[in-house]
Amino acid sequence: MNHASRCTAAVVLCAALLAPFAASAQDEAASPFSWNVTGVSDYVFRGVSQTAEDPTVQAAFTYTSPVGLYAGVWGSGVDFGEGDPDAEVDYLIGYAFDINENVNLDLLFNRYTYPGSSELAYNEFITKTTIAKQYSLTVTYTNDVFNSGTDAWYYAVGGEWALPQEFNLTANVGRSTFEEGISKDYTDWNVGVNRSFGMVTLGLGYYGTDGNGRDNSGKLADSRVVFTVGVGQ
């Protein structure tokens, strides 16, 4: 088994080990534990493939306290080229609360890590405002994007709408901006549909970037269709 396979297997094994505890906790109303394991045909982050356009497995486990504080871990396979890391593991802590009956604010600190490649690790502060449980505004900031010592911001607006037969339509448009010329500012977007069948969720999305995004990342930022299959609760 090569290093990439071992990393992917570790993510799956971690989720598999955690799942029974989370499932048991779910037997009680309003359990604080949640988990999911997802297969994706491509891991796309802000319009750019992180897996050289190949499929991978992702997993997450989160604990949420009654007052809205939460902490968790998220993992995925990645492929940045020969000799680069084979996995991404993110550690997160946040606080979500209602401003009023129509507005929710989520404040999140996320630590991006890449086992075996500590020179890529960096932190990001993320805020997400959800309005009427349907529309969202996301603003993120890091002073060390890609561990480069460079400031970067990300702004995004999104929405979710119910469709017939219990399908959902989602859409998002985002803008990445960088200081000191590390990369061109660019826009990404996606639109998708999904449907849940009990613990299983199927999704199909179409992702793309503008010309600057393609200048930055080449074919990894080309428009693409992504299929997802997730299991969790």
Side-chain angles (χ1 to χ4, degrees):
M1 180 182 292
N2 62 28
H3 184 55
S5 298
R6 287 196 299 270
C7 289
T8 300
V11 170
V12 176
L13 178 59
C14 178
L17 292 173
L18 291 170
F21 297 100
S24 176
Q26 287 290 337
D27 290 339
E28 299 179 8
S31 169
F33 299 99
S34 63
W35 63 273
N36 65 73
V37 179
T38 303
V40 297
S41 62
D42 191 353
Y43 168 23
V44 178
F45 178 72
R46 296 175 186 171
V48 180
S49 174
Q50 308 294 291
T51 51
E53 304 179 284
D54 288 331
T56 192
V57 175
Q58 303 173 338
F61 182 76
T62 305
Y63 168 81
T64 303
S65 76
V67 296
L69 290 168
Y70 62 90
V73 60
W74 181 90
S76 176
V78 297
D79 183 358
F80 300 144
E82 188 66 30
D84 284 321
D86 300 306
E88 173 185 340
V89 180
D90 298 349
Y91 302 93
L92 56 97
I93 184 168
Y95 177 47
F97 59 96
D98 292 330
I99 295 177
N100 57 46
E101 63 180 10
N102 292 313
V103 180
N104 177 272
L105 180 60
D106 191 347
L107 307 175
L108 166 66
F109 176 83
N110 195 83
R111 173 70 174 174
Y112 300 89
T113 73
Y114 302 87
S117 299
S118 59
E119 67 275 8
L120 295 178
Y122 68 100
N123 304 322
E124 187 173 54
F125 181 66
I126 302 169
T127 70
K128 183 177 181 180
T129 304
T130 303
I131 302 169
K133 299 182 180 180
Q134 187 172 12
Y135 303 100
S136 65
L137 170 64
T138 300
V139 179
T140 81
Y141 169 74
T142 176
N143 65 350
D144 192 26
V145 65
F146 314 132
N147 198 13
S148 66
T150 303
D151 291 357
W153 293 82
Y154 183 69
Y155 311 89
V157 292
E160 181 173 351
W161 302 269
L163 297 175
Q165 304 301 316
E166 299 183 18
F167 283 88
N168 296 295
L169 172 68
T170 62
N172 186 85
V173 177
R175 179 74 174 173
S176 296
T177 65
F178 307 90
E179 301 208 1
E180 301 181 10
I182 187 174
S183 186
K184 291 183 178 180
D185 299 348
Y186 75 96
T187 300
D188 73 276
W189 52 268
N190 65 77
V191 60
V193 292
N194 62 75
R195 190 185 191 285
S196 294
F197 302 86
M199 292 176 57
V200 178
T201 299
L202 305 181
L204 189 67
Y206 190 62
Y207 294 75
T209 70
D210 62 6
N212 281 352
R214 294 189 294 275
D215 287 344
N216 291 337
S217 304
K219 69 174 186 176
L220 297 181
D222 286 347
S223 298
R224 69 195 64 238
V225 174
V226 176
F227 179 63
T228 64
V229 180
V231 179
Q233 57 183 191

